[in-house]
Amino acid sequence: MGDTKSITDTRRLNPALTRQVIKFICLFLLTYGMLMACWPVLGKAYAKFYCAGANFLFGSFGSKGIVQFSNLEDARYDIMVRLYNVGHRVQSGAISSVGLSHSSRCDGYMYPVFLAALVAATPMSVKRKLWALLWGLILIHCFIALRLAVHIIEIFSREPLRLFAISSFWDGWFYKAYQQFVVNITFGFVVAIFIWILVAFRREDWSKIVMQKEREK
């Protein structure tokens, strides 16, 4: 009788769990798609926020480095980044500088949107969702800032700016970090998933998951 009851309970739990997973995936895809589709509306505001934060953090880079972020009217690359080494001048006498275009959508916006969609799809109270979203957005933007810092360091460590030199010992490690943080765009989604787990789940949630698995055995 005990085995029969256990099988019956498992059959009852599995359809419920399947429906919950399907609901989560559908809600996640819907939220993520809607937020990404809102880029034409939210893009300019986010780009301004991105520039303001980047200028605040990296405007002065060491004693001789200057970094300036400004908005561009471009559908793909909406930010212009100019980096200066005031201690180095070219033959014409002008301060050595490098300019590059930057996308706040690909290098910023899509990661917090991905995280927000995960939080929105998670079955928990609205209050918990709001707190999880707040802390999640703070943490994911800390990652974006770190990613941007690695990129800036990479530019300042080589010509024509060469603000400083990275030792041969650390150069290999820094190259790996640069490839992981800057070049590999999928790494940001992995980080977003870990942040979601950190901010959305409590200890009692994991206990419930473990207990449910025990019942299913």
Side-chain angles (χ1 to χ4, degrees), residues 46-208:
Y46 185 81
K48 289 180 180 179
F49 163 77
Y50 191 99
C51 280
N55 282 322
F56 175 77
L57 292 174
F58 307 112
S60 178
F61 205 85
S63 59
K64 298 179 180 179
I66 296 176
V67 186
Q68 294 179 345
F69 291 78
S70 57
N71 294 107
L72 292 175
E73 293 295 331
D74 189 282
R76 184 176 180 183
Y77 297 106
D78 55 351
I79 293 176
M80 170 59 70
V81 187
R82 295 209 66 89
L83 302 94
Y84 302 87
N85 182 351
V86 297
H88 184 268
R89 295 180 180 271
V90 296
Q91 290 183 349
S92 63
I95 295 174
S96 181
S97 66
V98 169
L100 55 98
S101 53
H102 195 66
S103 172
S104 64
R105 181 178 183 272
C106 296
D107 294 292
Y109 182 78
M110 64 182 183
Y111 299 130
V113 162
F114 182 81
L115 176 62
L118 286 173
V119 172
T122 306
M124 56 184 177
S125 66
V126 175
K127 183 178 179 180
R128 281 187 60 182
K129 284 186 179 182
L130 291 175
W131 278 110
L133 183 61
L134 174 63
W135 285 109
L137 291 178
I138 291 173
L139 291 175
I140 196 64
H141 279 97
C142 287
F143 163 75
I144 292 171
L146 178 61
R147 188 171 182 263
L148 190 55
V150 172
H151 195 184
I152 293 172
I153 291 171
E154 193 274 335
I155 296 173
F156 272 128
S157 66
R158 56 181 170 84
E159 297 296 342
L161 297 183
R162 185 66 76 170
L163 189 62
F164 49 81
I166 300 176
S167 66
S168 56
F169 176 79
W170 290 107
D171 188 60
W173 290 100
F174 179 77
Y175 177 76
K176 291 179 180 178
Y178 176 77
Q179 291 293 319
Q180 192 69 27
F181 277 85
V182 180
V183 179
N184 182 13
I185 62 173
T186 59
F187 185 70
F189 295 110
V190 176
V191 172
I193 291 172
F194 276 103
I195 292 175
W196 165 63
I197 293 172
L198 178 65
V199 300
F201 295 95
R202 297 175 178 174
R203 184 179 298 177
E204 56 266 29
D205 296 326
W206 295 113
S207 299
K208 291 178 182 177

Side-chain angles (χ1 to χ4, degrees), residues 29-49:
L29 292 175
L30 179 63
T31 307
Y32 183 71
M34 288 179 61
L35 290 174
M36 290 301 293
C38 288
W39 173 252
V41 179
L42 302 176
K44 288 187 177 180
Y46 185 81
K48 289 180 180 179
F49 163 77

